[in-house]
Amino acid sequence: MLRSWDLNLHITKSSGLVVYLQIAQQIMDEIQRGRLVPSAAMPGTRELAESLKVNRKTIVLAYDELIAQGWLTTESRRGTFVSAKLPLFSPPKQTNRDSKQRVTALPDHVLEKYALAIETDDTSHTIDFNDGIPDTRLIPFETLSKAFRHALIEPVRSNKLGYGDPKGMLSLRHAIAEMLNMERGLNVEIDNICIARGSQMGIFLAARILAKPHEYVVVENLSYPPAREAFRSCGAKILTVGLDNHGINVVELEELCKKYPIRAIYVTPHHQFPTTVMMTAERRLKLLMLADQYDFVIVEDDYDHEFHFHYHPVFPLASTNHAGRVIYVGSLSKVLAPGLRVGYLVASKEIINQCASEVMLIDRQGNSVTELAVAALMDSGEIKRHIRRTLKVYNERRNVLIDLLQNELGQFVNFDPPNGGLAIWLRLNDGIDMNKLVQKALLEKVRILPGSLFSESIVNVNGIRLGFGSLNATELATGIRRLKRAFAA
């Protein structure tokens, strides 16, 4: 049987796939594209071998593979054919809709926001003023490696490195409970704690439990995008509330409560993300009163509680007598390194049991070795010593950045020096085009996070979150000088 077209198969020598499998795969692709229809005659093995300049045995192996998988059939004295049992494949129709939109769970604009905070193989020496991540160069790696070695060896020898409690290793939950009770004023037991792979997983667990389809969840109009999207992914309708230098606008929140049945509110009261302001005691009490009056739950994200410079950090909302209306999310990733995914969620025993059920669905349990290692570092006091060391370093970097901003960028921006956290919120003078500034900054090899990234609505926010924790004094000075040139341009 004659064919009016060639198969146009191509052999790639650099491919890690053996030649006969390359041929088989391309023939399957041609069938699925509809170019090879059911019952179509295939070229003979000798003919195809000559056209591809390969040994005939290679073609025989490819055909045998396709026959075994049901793609081809062979008939005595007639040749080899595409199986008549296969459905008739039609070429995929082109649509105006990008296929990426059909498979991704998050809108493209959200993914773009996340991409700004993702580490890349950047060899251009770009200074990255990220959202406030710590400096992993400060990790006591020798102490940490010893803790990991011990955490791996002992359970293996005692055959205890199998499946465990989805709430997390008992030793870590005990260490966290002791830390929260002694240092943050909470009154919790180990059954009130579920370990998560970072605070984002803790937020997502809270969202899974609290947010049902079409229920209302409130976030601040400038907030942490992944948290907002976690609630939205669970079907929640997102409402926003304003904030000022004293934290969340509780008057505006109360008006929302009168109009909508609020299920939950997500807040970062200690160092508001991204503006770094601290919610006042008056606002905190009013928020708790509204939660009781209108029957909603507060998800408190205390993402960098440890990094406070002028006085002892304010106790969390979860330390109050909140009648179970506060779910507290914390993290040890900022203390050690974001790559060491250790977070936790604190709530009533009933909610923690629901969290364990959710963990069973997506993770079964956490990383036992990491949890055991971190628990040992907490029990030995090493993490507390590490916090004291890094707190001094970060305070020095904060002061360096404040001086640089005042001396170099004073004509372009204004800001309030934060009492804690690893970032500063800059307010730009009127007339500065934020989009152009971001592009000019990239040309100067400095990356900044414009305020619009943290907004729920598509509006121009005349602010920048400038993280300083991961940059030393020299890097800070270089970055600000480059940023000054971008402003001047």
Side-chain angles (χ1 to χ4, degrees), residues 63 135 149 191 197 309 320 370 380:
Y63 276 14
D135 193 337
R149 185 174 184 274
D191 290 336
R197 260 50 66 208
F309 306 117
T320 63
T370 299
S380 67

Side-chain angles (χ1 to χ4, degrees), residues 333-463:
S333 298
K334 285 287 180 69
V335 173
L336 293 169
L340 294 174
R341 307 303 298 153
V342 182
Y344 52 89
L345 186 146
V346 181
S348 66
K349 294 179 182 179
E350 292 76 18
I351 288 179
I352 293 301
N353 287 335
Q354 292 181 60
C355 287
S357 299
E358 294 293 337
V359 170
M360 288 288 290
L361 295 177
I362 61 175
D363 202 23
R364 179 54 183 86
Q365 68 184 68
N367 188 319
S368 301
V369 174
T370 299
E371 292 178 20
L372 288 171
V374 173
L377 292 172
M378 293 183 73
D379 290 339
S380 67
E382 181 56 41
I383 283 189
K384 199 166 185 178
R385 288 189 289 272
H386 176 61
I387 291 173
R388 284 199 297 265
R389 289 192 295 265
T390 56
L391 195 61
K392 181 179 178 181
V393 173
Y394 292 139
N395 191 29
E396 291 173 351
R397 293 180 180 182
R398 167 187 172 273
N399 294 334
V400 167
L401 181 57
I402 288 174
D403 289 340
L404 286 168
L405 292 173
Q406 291 172 340
N407 296 330
E408 303 292 338
L409 300 184
Q411 60 181 315
F412 305 111
V413 304
N414 61 87
F415 64 96
D416 299 314
N419 291 322
L422 300 182
I424 292 179
W425 179 253
L426 301 184
R427 299 182 296 273
L428 275 60
N429 295 344
D430 293 338
I432 296 176
D433 189 314
M434 177 63 74
N435 293 328
K436 289 184 179 179
L437 176 63
V438 171
Q439 295 303 317
K440 294 291 186 182
L442 286 174
L443 291 175
E444 296 289 345
K445 295 185 178 180
V446 59
R447 185 179 290 114
I448 56 176
L449 299 183
S452 58
L453 294 182
F454 312 105
S455 174
E456 166 68 359
S457 57
I458 304 176
V459 296
N460 182 42
V461 178
N462 216 26

Side-chain angles (χ1 to χ4, degrees), residues 226-242:
R228 187 171 59 232
E229 296 304 322
F231 286 100
R232 181 176 277 119
S233 73
C234 296
K237 293 183 177 181
I238 303 298
L239 301 173
T240 60
V241 64

Side-chain angles (χ1 to χ4, degrees), residues 4 26 67 81 110 140 153 170 176 227 257 311 333 354 367 377 416 446:
S4 59
Q26 291 182 62
I67 291 169
F81 301 84
V110 177
I153 291 175
L170 194 63
I176 290 175
C257 291
Y311 45 83
S333 298
Q354 292 181 60
N367 188 319
L377 292 172
D416 299 314
V446 59

Side-chain angles (χ1 to χ4, degrees), residues 184-187 300 315-322 326-328 346:
R184 303 191 191 179
L186 276 68
N187 183 18
E300 179 181 17
F315 280 165
L317 291 168
S319 67
T320 63
N321 185 15
H322 54 76
V326 177
I327 295 179
Y328 183 71
V346 181

